[in-house]
Structures are given as structure tokens and as C-alpha cells.
Amino acid sequence: MADHNISNVVPFGGRESNLTTAMLEDAVAILSVCRDRLVDRLSAVFTREVGRANDEFLAMADRATSLEQQQICFAATQVLSNRAPQLLQQFQASVAREFESVLKGADGARAQGMQLPAELSLVEDEDLEQDLAITKLTTRAAFNCSQQLVALDRRIAALLKVQRVTQDDNPLHPGLVYKAVLQALTSMDLVPSVALALLHSFERHTGGELPAIYADINRYLAETGILPNISLKTPQEQQGQQGGGAMGGGYAAAGFAPQAQPSGGMPGYGAAGSGGMPAQGGGQDIFSQLLSAIQSMHGGQGAQGGMAAPGAGGWMPGGGMAAGSGGAGAQSFSSSQLVEALGNLQRGPVDPGQMPGLGSVQIDPFAGNALQQLRATPMASWSHPMDAMTMDIVSMLFDAMFNDPDLPASVRAEIAKLQIPVLKVALLDKQFFSDRGHPARRLLDAIAHAGIGRGDKDEPRLLGTIRSVVETILKGFDSDVKVFESQLGVLDGFLQAEEAAAKSKADNMADELEARERKEMAAGRVATEVDLRLNRRNLPPLLADFITRHWRLVLVEAFVRAGESGGAWKETQRLMDELIWSVEPKSGSQNRDRLVVMLPAMLKGLREGLGRVGLQGAWDGFFSELIQLHVAALHKDAPPQLYPQGPRSTTTEPASQPVSPTQPVSASVADPLSSLDDESAEESEDLSALLPEPPSQPAATPEDEYMSLVQKLEVGAWVEFNSERGTRNTLRLNWVSEFRRVFLFTNRQGENAMTLAAGSLADHLRRGRARLLSQNPLTDRAVAQVLEKVSPAAPGSSGGSRPPGYAWE
């Protein structure tokens, strides 16, 4: 039990504390109960499993490929058969010592680790292997128990009246457990290789119980009255909900922003142009960043123990140990042996008796937990430390992918079959983690994205293609990643053919919607252009009447036909401007020559424009009087019958009687759409019935973050809509209107269409009835999540906030 008489000791490495002596004694007493619960539960589990662990070592001895491995297995069986009670007794004593050391802040090794040594020295191979083993097992346990440990850290901090606790400050952390097990084994005078083998066996047979044990400790502390109502969510998740997406310090430093979520709790949409991967600060690649983050999780143990990035110090690129290393564990299962074993395993289940290193575990390489099973085998324990760390990181990546809410369930099983091949890729090439263009990553991303928005009709065809691609990789991948590239081409070919057919359907609907919208917008847009000209110049009544009553309809027809960007709209404006200029007095020979040259083409264009709207009959009378204006302009005379009262507007009522060329005219507001053919109107009505627009929503304020998010949407974005009955429908944005911000959504086949106004879409997001799927690739999101898991957050640090609905950038 812990010594309660420590009132003169400042806990947690010298941090200030508001605890009185009595309060400190009570806190230590409560933590001691938690320690005893942890030790008793682990001891009970190991006692229950010791027979199975013994049988496992005997089976491994039978299949050992070297005398050294066989001797290690036999030595381990001797300990488990004859000295298990002694081991547990030593373990309990070691936990008690570590517990008191942490509470007193007198961990000499940690204190020394905070100071630079007087001189550099080489690290013993045995110490290096032990540090790596503790780091690896602690990382695995911290990952699997992350929610429970977050809650435990907060409760311990509250109990001891400190702002926060780190791993080194937590006297109940899994790292303390595994360190105590190794100390217990070492105190029994076991050789290091046997001690490490037993340490890994202890973790394999007890690690699965740790989440439940820590949950029980949390319940005990809650029942004691220590933060009984706190959530099990991580601090980053809580900040994302409360503060609009604040970043944890360690995550922000790596270049990520964890997604904040709308009130509906839905993951979001990546901002346009966001990369989804961390900045590679300091020249580190992603694999090195992950290793560094894992080292940081354990208070620099890896650094003190001598861990280095691949290719530095004692490590060879690709995971091999440098010559002369001599570590027993590293020689037990070489990198080449591991890759060869994985190659056999990727093709289907293997009898454990036929493959050294599997122990008694029957692994299904196509199951979702294949890598988790593999991590629990002697193969993983006896692999080179760098290979074992790679296995752990790849397992974390797949766990993150399988938990990704944007990964379609239909393709999850097919991606699971690629766990072993992808692990081989990562073992052979660490650039897999950093290179977004790596063929294996691109194939995983393509498979995941291909499953979005699938219906019952087309899903079987897609799954058939994906199964064929996956089967080819399982049978054909040895060490050349070109097979991933070739199969990516097969999948892309299928998807491109599908996209072409869908695009044709969606484009037809978009064209009709666009024409309908232009028709609705045409009157106002044309009125703006006409008013601009009438207000800027005093025009002869003949021209004012012609523009407002005839040419205005030509402008409307051109706008409806092709919009503002169309050549017809620009041409009709140009002809209108040339007509106005043509009747103005020409003061020089150059202007008179220009008028003479442009007249034929201008008159032809005006006549053809009237013909397009069925007003050919209005041309002859207008042309005969227009000639008089042109003659006057050539003689530098002022045009006859100017407006005496100044500018006019097209918003006044039309003249009730025909206007003569010698009378001023008022602009007309007669509906120019009425002159268009009825067939177009009928088509628009039919389309409106097919794609009903929801009731309009109140306009959002400019500060509305959801409206701002909607306005940034681009064609190709995927949105999941949730009905009140609980059904889900994932649709792709196929078209955005130019003027009213209307959005057209369809499924992958260009069908099941739906239109939404911008305000309606923002309201759906605001109320949680829709969520925007991330545009970042699946593997980018998985790497981001793993880095967030293993990167420690700096106290008080936070990143910039973003609107709800954004994913990692």
C-alpha cells in the first residue's frame, strides 16, 4: 500500500497544489483503492489465462525455426508452470513502488530525463529493446482505452486539485503496469529475451480486459463523488462541440484541425482546397511524425531509450537493424520472414500449426479485426521493433477507417480484405504514410469513394468489380506495388463509364433548370440594361420606343437562351449600343466613315434579332424613319425630337396608344416572357413538377456560418439527407444556379433528383437533417485521426475555429 505520510511532498513533479494534508491523504487513499482494483483484476485475468499462455509457448517451441527461439519458449513455460505465483507477487510489489514513486514525484529516471547528460553515450541493445517494448505496449493500450483514460486523467486531476495530469503523472496508467511487469520479471533473474517474451504474453492475455477494468475504476471514482457526470469524450471532441472546432495543441502543431460538428453531430465537409494531411514540419515524413508522437506520449521514453527515425542512429532504412546490434528479439523474426509470412496469410486462413509465429491463434485475414489478431501473436511480439511499431500504426489506421462515418458499409468488408497487403506495403515502403499518390492509398480511397451514394440497383455491379480487383491483389501482390496501380485503372474504367451515363441525365435536368431560372430572371436583368442606356443618354423617341417595346424582347430571348455568358446576349447588347451611337451627330470624318462601314452589318443584325422573336413586321416602318436619323447624324445635325424632359425608366407604364416617331415615349414593362413560345413554358412547368422546390426559408444573415458553408459548396460534393422517418439518402451536388443559388442533387445514376434553395440547404444542415461528407480521401482522414489520438495536446493551446460541418484540413 502507498505511504500516506507524505504531507511534506508536493505531488506531481513539483506542481503547485491546493491540497491540505488531510485532503492529500484522502486522495492517496482513494487512488490506492483504484490501484488495488487494477492489480487484482489483472492478476485474476492472468491467473485464468496462464494455462493457455503456457500451451502457446509449447506450441511455438515445436514450430521454432532456431534453437534460440526454442530455448526461449521452454524457459517461458518453466516460469509459467512453476513460478507464476512468484511473478504475480513481484508484479504487485512493483506496481506499489511505481505508484508511490509517481505520487511523490520522485521518479529518478524521469527527473534525470529532464536534464541533458554531461556526455553522450551509446545505449545498450537490451535497454533499447525493453524501452521499445514498453512504448509499443503502452501505445496499444492507450489507444484501445483512450476514452476511459481521458476520463481517468480528468478525475485524478480533480482529485488532486491540479489543472491536468500527463501520462507520467497518472499513477494508474498502462505504462506503469507494463513497466512493473518487466521489473517483476527482471527481479526473477530471467534473461532479457525470456522476460520480453513473457511481457508480451502478459499483454496478449490481459490487454483485452483493460478497457473494462479502467471503466470500473472510473465508476468507482464517480460513485465516490469525483466528477460523476463527465463525458467519456476526448477534450478535443468536447472543444469541437463547445467552441466551434478548437484544435488541440499537439494536433494543431501537426497541421490538422479536428472537425467540429453541427448540432446533429454529423461529420462534415472539407473546405475547398484543403489537403487533409499534416504539414511536414522539420523535414519529417508522416511515419516519423507518428513515431515522434508516440514517443511524446510516453514522456520521451523512446528518446531516452535511443529510438530514432528510420535510417538514423542504429536503424537501417526499411526496418532492418544495423549490423552488430545483436538484440535477441530482433533476430527472432526478421523483416523478410515477416513479409513472407504475411504473403502466405493474405491469400486466406492458415493453420497455426503450419506457420511459425501464429501461436494458437486462428487468424481470418479477411476479417475486420485481422490486424488486431495479428498484433496479439508471437509473430508481432518477436518481430523487429520497427516492424512491430509499423504493424501497430497500420492497425490504428484501419481501425480509424472502419470507424469513419463516411465509409460506406457496402465496401467496408472489401477494404478489410486488404489489411494484410497494405501492411506488407507499409513494411516495405514507409513512404506509404506520406505519399498521397501511393498506388495502395489511391486504391483504398477510390474503393471508399466509389461506394458513396449507391442504391440497390447499382451496388451489386460495383461490388462485383471491387471484389475482382481485391482478389487480383490478394493473389498477385508480392512486393511490386504496380498491381495496385493496374487494378486502380480497372476500377477507374468502371467508374468513368458509369459517370458518363449519369452525367448525361444530370446535365439534361440542369439545362432545363438553368433555362427556367434564366427565364425568371430575364425581365429584371434586361430592364437593368435598358434603364442604364435610357438614363445615360437623351434618345430620339423612335429609338426609345424601339428599344423598350421591341429590342427589349430580343434581349430577353438572348438571355433566356444562353445567359449572360452566352454570345447571343453580348451580341444583342452590342447592337443596341451601336444603334444608339449611330444616330448621334458625327463630328469628324473618321466617325462618319465608321458609321458608313458598320451600318450594313448593324441593320442586318437588328433585322435578324426581330425575326427571332416574331417581330419582322415592325422592321420596315422603323427602318424607313431610322434612315432620317442617320442622314441627320452624317450632316452633324442634332437628332430630331429629343426627349425634352430628360431620362426615362423602363419601370413606367407602357403607352396606351401607338407612339409616333415625333412623340416622346415611356418605357414598357409588358412581360417579355409572354412572347416566348408556350412549349418552353410547358417544359419548365413539367420540370418543376418533377423537381419540386421546398418552401422558401428566411434569408440567413451574412454571419450565418451554415449559409457561408453552403455558399462555398462546389459541384461534386456529397450530402447525406436524413428524413423524419429515419431514412438516409446520400446525393451528389450536380448543379448550382448562377443567380438564385439553387442546388440540384442526384444519385450516382443522375436520378432521384432534388432541388434545394440555398436557405433551405443551410437550414437542413443547421437542424442536423443533412450532413456534408468530407471531400478529403479516406486514408488522409485516417492518418489525421491516428495523429490526433497519439499527439499530446499542449495545455491551453487551441487552434482556429471553423464553422460546424468542416472536416480535417
Side-chain angles (χ1 to χ4, degrees):
M1 296 294 291
D3 183 4
H4 292 184
N5 187 22
I6 56 174
S7 59
N8 295 324
V9 177
V10 179
F12 290 87
R15 294 184 182 178
E16 293 294 334
S17 175
N18 296 322
L19 287 174
T20 65
T21 301
M23 292 170 62
L24 182 57
E25 291 179 350
D26 289 341
V28 172
I30 292 173
L31 290 176
S32 297
V33 173
C34 297
R35 177 204 61 194
D36 293 342
R37 284 177 175 241
L38 176 64
V39 171
D40 291 345
R41 288 282 299 273
L42 286 174
S43 299
V45 173
F46 185 72
T47 301
R48 186 181 70 233
E49 296 290 325
V50 69
R52 183 181 301 178
N54 189 49
D55 294 342
E56 184 180 86
F57 276 114
L58 289 174
M60 286 190 292
D62 292 339
R63 298 191 299 272
T65 58
S66 68
L67 179 60
E68 181 184 17
Q69 290 181 357
Q70 193 174 55
Q71 290 174 342
I72 292 173
C73 292
F74 284 141
T77 60
Q78 290 294 324
V79 174
L80 295 175
S81 299
N82 304 320
R83 305 176 67 184
Q86 180 186 357
L87 171 59
L88 292 178
Q89 184 178 5
Q90 293 290 344
F91 165 62
Q92 293 170 359
S94 296
V95 169
R97 287 194 299 271
E98 288 295 316
F99 177 85
E100 293 186 14
S101 177
V102 171
L103 285 183
K104 291 181 179 180
D107 189 341
R110 191 171 73 246
Q112 293 175 6
M114 298 173 63
Q115 302 176 355
L116 291 176
E119 61 181 14
L120 298 178
S121 61
L122 294 177
V123 179
E124 293 292 337
D125 293 333
E126 292 177 357
D127 294 338
L128 173 62
E129 283 191 59
Q130 290 177 359
D131 284 344
L132 288 175
I134 295 295
T135 299
K136 184 183 75 170
L137 299 185
T138 303
T139 300
R140 182 182 302 169
F143 185 83
N144 294 334
C145 305
S146 58
Q147 288 187 327
Q148 293 82 5
L149 289 176
V150 166
L152 184 60
D153 287 346
R154 294 185 62 193
R155 287 191 166 100
I156 292 177
L159 180 63
L160 292 165
K161 306 298 183 183
V162 295
Q163 182 179 4
R164 63 185 295 270
V165 296
T166 66
Q167 172 186 312
D168 289 333
D169 299 332
N170 185 342
L172 304 173
H173 196 274
L176 179 146
V177 172
Y178 295 126
K179 186 176 180 181
V181 172
L182 187 59
Q183 289 178 352
L185 292 166
T186 304
S187 68
M188 295 170 65
D189 296 326
L190 300 177
V191 297
S193 58
V194 176
L196 284 178
L198 287 168
L199 172 64
H200 285 290
S201 179
F202 181 90
E203 187 270 343
R204 284 198 301 274
H205 292 283
T206 63
E209 299 289 334
L210 275 179
I213 294 174
Y214 281 116
D216 177 67
I217 292 174
N218 272 300
R219 280 192 293 270
Y220 166 74
L221 291 174
E223 291 168 358
T224 309
I226 303 169
L227 301 183
N229 299 320
I230 66 171
S231 170
L232 286 179
K233 293 182 178 178
T234 64
Q236 290 89 346
E237 291 172 333
Q238 292 174 355
Q239 289 175 6
Q241 290 181 346
Q242 298 172 3
M247 292 184 295
Y251 198 51
F256 290 90
Q259 69 183 31
Q261 298 182 1
S263 57
M266 296 298 184
Y269 168 75
S274 66
M277 290 295 291
Q280 296 181 15
Q284 281 189 315
D285 60 17
I286 301 301
F287 184 72
S288 296
Q289 288 187 40
L290 287 166
L291 288 181
S292 298
I294 292 172
Q295 289 173 262
S296 299
M297 284 181 64
H298 306 290
Q301 284 183 8
Q304 298 300 321
M307 179 183 281
W315 300 108
M316 296 284 288
M321 181 167 280
S325 164
Q331 297 175 357
S332 298
F333 220 91
S334 67
S335 297
S336 59
Q337 286 178 309
L338 178 60
V339 171
E340 181 181 359
L342 293 174
N344 294 328
L345 188 60
Q346 80 182 27
R347 294 171 177 83
V350 177
D351 183 359
Q354 302 300 317
M355 181 179 291
L358 288 186
S360 59
V361 179
Q362 178 73 47
I363 296 179
D364 180 1
F366 305 148
N369 63 344
L371 290 182
Q372 295 178 1
Q373 291 180 321
L374 192 62
R375 289 163 65 190
T377 63
M379 180 190 299
S381 302
W382 287 7
S383 293
H384 186 284
M386 191 65 73
D387 292 339
M389 293 290 284
T390 302
M391 189 181 303
D392 282 350
I393 292 172
V394 174
S395 178
M396 293 178 189
L397 286 177
F398 273 96
D399 287 345
M401 284 190 277
F402 293 150
N403 291 326
D404 193 304
D406 290 355
L407 178 65
S410 58
V411 301
R412 185 177 288 113
E414 300 305 316
I415 289 180
K417 297 177 183 178
L418 295 175
Q419 291 176 91
I420 303 300
V422 169
L423 174 57
K424 284 176 56 182
V425 169
L427 289 168
L428 295 168
D429 180 13
K430 297 299 185 292
Q431 287 302 310
F432 164 81
F433 298 97
S434 302
D435 184 6
R436 299 179 204 167
H438 195 287
R441 284 185 59 164
R442 289 168 56 206
L443 181 63
L444 289 173
D445 293 335
I447 292 175
H449 191 266
I452 297 175
R454 293 286 168 180
D456 295 337
K457 295 181 180 179
D458 61 310
E459 190 174 83
R461 293 181 59 248
L462 171 70
L463 292 180
T465 301
I466 292 177
R467 289 191 185 104
S468 175
V469 166
V470 171
E471 186 68 22
T472 301
I473 290 174
L474 294 177
K475 292 181 178 179
F477 174 56
D478 184 18
S479 60
D480 190 351
V481 296
K482 288 183 179 179
V483 65
F484 287 91
E485 190 80 52
S486 63
Q487 292 309 301
L488 178 62
V490 172
L491 181 59
D492 282 345
F494 170 85
L495 295 175
Q496 287 173 7
E498 185 182 59
E499 287 291 318
K503 187 175 184 301
S504 176
K505 297 178 183 179
D507 285 351
N508 291 337
M509 284 186 286
D511 289 344
E512 294 184 49
L513 282 172
E514 198 168 35
R516 184 181 73 179
E517 183 182 56
R518 289 198 300 266
K519 188 174 181 181
E520 294 171 353
M521 297 289 296
R525 186 68 184 87
V526 169
T528 299
E529 294 297 326
V530 171
D531 280 346
L532 180 65
R533 273 106 179 143
L534 294 184
N535 290 333
R536 187 176 59 187
R537 297 171 178 174
N538 289 327
L539 300 183
L542 177 69
L543 260 63
D545 178 68
F546 175 77
I547 290 174
T548 56
R549 302 182 65 180
H550 301 311
W551 196 250
R552 184 163 173 261
L553 298 180
V554 180
L555 288 167
V556 168
E557 186 273 338
F559 186 91
V560 171
R561 177 150 46 101
E564 287 187 331
S565 60
W569 170 253
K570 296 176 182 178
E571 175 68 12
T572 52
Q573 286 183 296
R574 183 184 65 82
L575 288 170
M576 178 171 55
D577 291 334
E578 288 182 350
L579 175 61
I580 294 172
W581 178 84
S582 69
V583 301
E584 295 174 351
K586 303 298 178 282
S587 58
S589 60
Q590 184 177 1
N591 286 333
R592 290 193 293 272
D593 292 343
R594 177 189 170 193
L595 176 60
V596 173
V597 172
M598 65 175 282
L599 273 177
M602 183 193 74
L603 296 175
K604 179 182 178 183
L606 292 171
R607 186 171 61 250
E608 290 177 349
L610 293 174
R612 287 196 297 271
V613 295
L615 297 177
Q616 299 92 330
W619 173 251
D620 292 337
F622 169 72
F623 175 68
S624 62
E625 299 186 28
L626 180 63
I627 294 176
Q628 301 175 25
L629 298 179
H630 285 159
V631 171
L634 288 171
H635 288 83
K636 296 184 286 187
D637 297 331
Q641 305 299 331
L642 296 178
Y643 280 117
Q645 64 270 47
R648 301 241 171 205
S649 170
T650 57
T651 58
T652 59
E653 290 297 327
S656 58
Q657 301 295 330
V659 181
S660 71
T662 59
Q663 295 175 331
V665 298
S666 298
S668 171
V669 293
D671 184 6
L673 301 180
S674 61
S675 65
L676 299 178
D677 59 286
D678 295 335
E679 182 178 353
S680 299
E682 291 177 0
E683 291 178 357
S684 178
E685 291 173 1
D686 291 342
L687 185 64
S688 179
L690 175 65
L691 306 175
E693 194 169 323
S696 59
Q697 301 291 335
T701 62
E703 295 78 15
D704 190 313
E705 54 196 4
Y706 291 94
M707 178 59 76
S708 176
L709 180 60
V710 166
Q711 291 173 349
K712 294 177 182 178
L713 284 179
E714 296 180 356
V715 171
W718 286 91
V719 180
E720 181 183 84
F721 295 94
N722 304 304
S723 70
E724 295 180 356
R725 293 176 296 179
T727 59
R728 296 183 179 182
N729 194 16
T730 304
L731 300 175
R732 178 171 51 191
L733 180 59
N734 263 296
W735 173 80
V736 181
S737 68
E738 183 179 359
F739 305 102
R740 292 178 58 197
R741 302 301 290 173
V742 174
F743 297 79
L744 169 65
F745 293 92
T746 69
N747 61 11
R748 278 195 177 270
Q749 288 69 48
E751 302 167 347
N752 194 22
M754 177 175 67
T755 56
L756 282 175
S760 297
L761 180 55
D763 190 60
H764 280 302
L765 292 170
R766 186 180 300 107
R767 296 174 181 271
R769 294 197 296 261
R771 73 178 182 96
L772 307 171
L773 274 60
S774 173
Q775 286 190 326
N776 294 328
L778 174 67
T779 56
D780 282 17
R781 303 195 300 268
V783 170
Q785 185 176 351
V786 172
L787 262 176
E788 184 183 8
K789 280 271 190 181
V790 302
S791 296
S797 63
S798 63
S801 60
R802 63 191 65 251
Y806 274 83
W808 294 290
E809 291 189 349

